[in-house]
Amino acid sequence: MVASLRCVAAAAMASTLVVAPLAAQLASPRSVPATYAITNARLVPVSSPVIEKGTIVVRDGLIAAIGSTVAIPGDARVIDGTGLTVYPGLIDAYGSLGVSGTPATGASGGRGVGLGGPAATPARSASNTNYPAGLQPEVSVLDLLRADGEAFSGPTSVGITTALTGSGSGVFQGQSAVINLAGADVNAMVVKAPVSQNIGFSAIRGAAFPNSLMGVFAALRQQLLDAQHYRDVKAAYEKSPRGMSRPEFDPSLEALLPVIARTQPVIMNASTQREIERALDLAKEFGLRPIIAGGAEAHLMAARLKAENVPVLLTLNFPRRTAAPAADADPDPIRVLRERVDAPKAAGRLAGAGVKFAFQSGGISNWPDFSANVQRAVENGLSRDAALMALTLQSAEILGVSDRLGSLEPGKIANLALVRGDLLDRGRVTQLFIDGRLVAVRTPTQPAGAGGAGITGTWTVAVAIDGVDYATTWSLRQDGTRLLGSLQGALGSAEFQNGTIGADGELRFTAMVTLKQATDEATFIGTLDGDALRGRLSMVGRTPGTFSGTRPQRQGGPPSGGPASAGSPRTPPGAR
């Protein structure tokens, strides 16, 4: 008997030894062992006063400490933040970042790594629901997401580390999620899910019903009424099931129960004053918790939005003329001109009326416009503090994640944007931390053939620094106002970051250059004049230099291999 007990105890101990390491392995993918200390930086916590010179410590994916007298841990990798300002990572408050057109498949339950792309109408099975595609609120964006670093390079280049993402199609568009824009797979990206139920008011193309605005509202009302009846029948059955037929489970109506119980908000895509009025009326009729997304004319409804405590996810995709008008073209209507003028003023008007709002990208494809339009909002009446709040903490509050994101505070997720200059005044994002990991800031790749050829081609450029001339070759490509490219030669090999070129030929970009085995960031500012380039460059701790170059042979398209030749050496990702 004693021997048997000893055998059982030994077996139990052996089981413990096997299970414990397995549990540790299951928990380990979320852990981030690296520790960082960013020192001598200007820190903008958002939730508290600015620290003009301080240290922020990141450990295990979280902010461990922040302040002007913080001790540097012995195991920390130190980043000298002299000349840099650290902000909380920005939040894109609504969009479809990471959404692919079809659900993922595979052994991991359909949430693996794959190719991302613009949101399309997702393929949705209707086999387990009584409602057609486009009216299935149970659909989760998690089944449509992809972890795609290239797709995220645009938003991360302007300091966005987090986004609320949804499917972006249908009437009942399904359940959204807050994700971080980095991670090996979707599971590692998710911060909170579900966050909201999303509703659109556009008719479903190709459908027999609802194929009109009247039909859309009829379908919404009927399904919400169905959900109320479903709730009441379920409650009655759970209270006294004997003698009562079991209610049939309906995943679509089940997904609407937290919506009609007001425990889950409803994001309503509405831009015009009339759309917003209809959205608010529907929310009031059914006792919903609405959030208005888009909101181009939300300032015209500011009094009601304030009175009903309805927040707005305001688009930064401002209307603008996309091409020069033809000589014989009719002038733009007054309505269109007014929309262009009013768009940058909307944020300031909402803030002045006391309406809570956050910024969303609104389908921006040229990501420098995101930062530029925030600056336009500031120039048109929005305070700088309110603008920063709308990009960070206020956005997190609206989305229900302010306990973990939106400000620099100990215990929160270490999503940080390191910026040279002022984020709201042409500041340049040089580094990002997402989930406590250092993430390279990259210029997004554009499709071959995109953009113009004003500066596109290969250039021979002489760079003078501290009285020494360095021969370099630049491969450049223009995409609208964006400048893509790389340099090779006596200053090493590097890709250009944050490149822009204006209509007047002014160009600006940064690049990591190597001098005497030391690599530093240089800012280049110059002008294009036909087949000649000239300008100046600046580096911290050095006398300003100059550059001048010529294009030996004009090329009509991008150089072979894009901004840099396929075989050319490149700066390693994350090298700073």
Side-chain angles (χ1 to χ4, degrees), residues 308-571:
E308 298 179 12
N309 195 29
V310 177
V312 176
L313 308 179
L314 187 63
T315 181
L316 282 170
N317 195 1
F318 295 163
R320 64 178 182 177
R321 185 188 296 279
T322 57
D328 58 348
D330 293 332
D332 289 329
I334 295 296
R335 175 187 57 81
V336 173
L337 297 175
R338 185 181 296 114
E339 287 175 353
R340 292 180 193 156
V341 172
D342 285 348
K345 299 177 181 179
R349 291 169 175 171
L350 289 176
V355 177
K356 195 168 190 175
F357 71 95
F359 284 127
Q360 56 140 316
S361 58
I364 281 177
S365 57
N366 183 37
W367 283 96
D369 287 347
F370 184 93
S371 302
N373 287 345
V374 172
Q375 185 176 338
R376 288 178 65 193
V378 170
E379 292 169 351
N380 282 273
L382 182 65
S383 73
R384 301 172 70 84
D385 288 344
L388 187 57
M389 283 286 290
L391 291 166
T392 55
L393 186 56
Q394 197 155 274
S395 181
E397 290 171 351
I398 294 173
L399 303 180
V401 292
S402 59
D403 57 348
R404 66 205 81 172
L405 289 170
S407 60
L408 303 181
E409 299 179 63
K412 289 195 173 184
I413 296 172
N415 285 1
L416 316 176
L418 280 63
V419 178
R420 190 172 297 281
D422 189 325
L423 182 67
L424 301 179
D425 187 12
R426 298 182 178 86
R428 295 174 291 101
V429 179
T430 61
Q431 291 167 299
L432 286 180
F433 281 83
I434 300 181
D435 269 322
R437 296 179 176 90
L438 189 58
V439 176
V441 177
R442 298 184 296 132
T443 301
T445 300
Q446 298 296 313
I455 198 171
T456 299
T458 301
W459 296 75
T460 300
V461 182
V463 181
I465 303 175
D466 294 339
V468 179
D469 290 335
Y470 297 86
T472 64
T473 299
W474 295 6
S475 296
L476 301 176
R477 179 159 62 89
Q478 181 180 347
D479 175 24
T481 60
R482 198 173 338 185
L483 180 63
L484 310 174
S486 65
L487 67 80
Q488 301 177 56
L491 294 176
S493 299
E495 293 186 358
F496 296 164
Q497 306 289 336
N498 307 299
T500 61
I501 180 166
D504 58 355
E506 181 181 75
L507 59 95
R508 179 189 298 261
F509 63 91
T510 62
M512 305 301 293
V513 300
T514 302
L515 293 169
K516 299 180 180 179
Q517 299 182 337
T519 300
D520 294 298
E521 183 187 64
T523 298
F524 294 78
I525 301 174
T527 56
L528 167 67
D529 184 10
D531 287 335
L533 286 176
R534 60 180 58 84
R536 55 188 175 82
L537 73 153
S538 59
M539 302 171 65
V540 175
R542 291 184 179 273
T543 303
T546 61
F547 66 88
S548 61
T550 58
R551 175 167 41 193
Q553 182 178 357
R554 177 178 288 271
Q555 299 179 18
S560 175
S565 300
S568 66
R570 296 176 180 267
T571 302

Side-chain angles (χ1 to χ4, degrees), residues 73-309:
D75 61 338
R77 174 181 169 186
V78 178
I79 297 176
D80 186 357
T82 300
L84 298 177
T85 300
V86 182
Y87 297 88
L90 306 188
I91 300 173
D92 181 356
Y94 186 67
S96 54
L97 288 175
V99 173
S100 175
T102 56
T105 58
S108 63
R111 297 181 193 172
V113 179
L115 295 176
T121 302
R124 302 177 180 179
S125 170
S127 59
N128 297 319
T129 180
N130 296 319
Y131 297 92
L135 291 170
Q136 297 173 8
E138 73 275 19
V139 171
S140 172
V141 73
L142 298 183
D143 295 321
L144 305 171
L145 284 175
R146 300 290 186 273
D148 185 355
E150 184 58 46
F152 296 150
S153 63
T156 55
S157 71
V158 297
I160 296 172
T161 60
T162 307
L164 178 77
T165 190
S167 73
S169 63
V171 177
F172 278 111
Q173 299 179 348
Q175 300 172 355
S176 64
V178 171
I179 62 171
N180 278 340
L181 302 186
D185 54 41
V186 170
N187 295 326
M189 293 162 53
V190 175
V191 175
K192 182 180 179 180
V195 172
S196 65
Q197 178 64 228
N198 298 354
I199 289 179
F201 297 111
S202 297
I204 301 176
R205 289 177 294 177
F209 177 83
N211 56 7
S212 67
L213 183 60
M214 183 179 295
V216 167
F217 275 88
L220 285 167
R221 285 194 173 91
Q222 186 59 59
Q223 202 157 336
L224 289 168
L225 288 169
D226 290 347
Q228 290 177 340
H229 178 72
Y230 180 78
R231 172 200 61 193
D232 296 342
V233 171
K234 278 192 65 176
Y237 181 79
E238 290 169 1
K239 182 177 181 180
S240 180
R242 181 171 295 182
M244 183 177 177
S245 297
R246 184 179 74 253
E248 181 179 346
F249 180 82
D250 189 308
S252 296
L253 299 182
E254 192 76 24
L256 289 177
L257 294 183
V259 171
I260 60 176
R262 292 180 58 85
T263 58
Q264 184 180 87
V266 181
I267 293 179
M268 297 178 158
N269 291 273
S271 287
T272 68
Q273 181 178 4
R274 184 62 180 141
E275 289 172 345
I276 296 169
E277 285 177 337
R278 287 170 171 161
L280 294 178
D281 289 346
L282 182 71
K284 188 174 183 179
E285 179 182 352
F286 289 94
L288 311 179
R289 284 174 53 204
I291 299 172
I292 299 299
E297 294 184 355
H299 59 281
L300 300 178
M301 296 289 298
R304 183 174 176 184
L305 291 167
K306 171 62 175 176
E308 298 179 12
N309 195 29

